[in-house]
Amino acid sequence: MENKSKGLKIALGIAVVLFLATGFYAMNLHKKASDEKKELAEQKQLVMNDLNAMAKQYDEAIGENEIKNNNLIEARGRIQGLIDSLKISETNVKSLWRYKQKYVSLQKEMDVLLAQNDSLRIENSYLATSLDSTRIRLEERAMFTDSLLVQNNALAEVVSDASVLSAVDLKASGVIVRTSGKVIPTERAGRSDKIRVCFIVAKNKLIQAGEQELYVQVIDPNGNTLGLNEQVTFEDKTLNYSLISKFNYENTNLNICEFVNPGEDEDFEKGNYKVNVFNEKDLVSTSEFLLR
């Protein structure tokens, strides 16, 4: 019995040792697996960081190009596809090795593409410098031409403005006309038979001598055009006039007086009257007077 009891104790001791050894081994295996999993996760993150860094380099290269580089854009798309795939992939040695191999391949491709891109940017820079130089010369020539054109236009405008008949010392008033032909100025609306408009056509050597004409416009206090009240159109402007003053111009100062009648069977209204003289569409003189 003692031998049997002793044998049982020995067997139990061996079983305990084996259990403890098995537990220790299992713990070691679990720790090793956990460490390997952690290591794989870290390695996966490193590959992800490398891919993101590569993508950033492509983004910078693409942003530096004023002209779209399709090769860079397509390569950037392949990297993004690999990043997206890596995010959802299982983390194991075989899978990680495959992604590392793809990364190495993409790294070689990037080195070639970025070198080509740098060369292309240098060529474009030289070309842009040459184009800028040409553009500057063309702009300088255009500025010189524009300057001459402005000067010529300004000179033509001055000559055009200067070659217009002008009316100075414009005066107008109501007048009483005697049967003898004598004309007496008056400020009384009720006594006025006509309105006399007098002015001087100034001497101007730029005006060709010969028959000339100016348009006289007399506007009563109610805004009505007196006299003929006919219309004439010059380009985009329509003018209502009281009479056309026609005269023979000989490049000397010329005194002109014209008479405007009231409306048919009407007397002149009391109030302010305005008188304008036009050379075609251009107003060359204006004045006002009062009839009481």
Side-chain angles (χ1 to χ4, degrees), residues 216-279:
V216 177
Q217 180 190 66
V218 180
I219 301 174
D220 71 8
N222 296 321
N224 301 313
T225 300
L226 303 180
L228 296 175
N229 191 19
E230 294 182 353
Q231 287 187 342
V232 62
T233 301
F234 302 102
E235 297 176 356
D236 58 344
K237 182 175 181 178
T238 299
L239 171 68
N240 283 65
Y241 62 88
S242 300
L243 60 88
I244 302 175
S245 179
K246 299 183 178 181
F247 48 88
N248 185 37
Y249 184 68
E250 297 180 348
N251 299 118
T252 58
N253 288 343
L254 181 63
N255 293 313
I256 301 290
C257 280
E258 302 286 359
F259 293 88
V260 177
N261 295 318
E264 193 173 328
D265 299 326
E266 292 182 8
D267 294 328
F268 289 108
E269 296 282 343
K270 294 180 180 180
N272 287 312
Y273 287 72
K274 188 171 184 178
V275 182
N276 298 314
V277 179
F278 292 87
N279 181 358

Side-chain angles (χ1 to χ4, degrees), residues 78-91:
R78 286 193 290 274
I79 291 174
Q80 187 59 51
L82 192 59
I83 290 173
D84 294 339
S85 176
L86 180 58
K87 286 179 180 178
I88 61 175
S89 68
E90 293 183 6
T91 306

Side-chain angles (χ1 to χ4, degrees), residues 100-118:
K100 284 186 176 181
Q101 289 297 103
K102 289 183 179 179
Y103 166 76
V104 171
S105 176
L106 290 174
Q107 178 69 51
K108 292 177 180 178
E109 179 188 32
M110 185 181 73
D111 292 341
V112 173
L113 289 177
L114 292 186
Q116 292 175 349
N117 183 62
D118 288 342

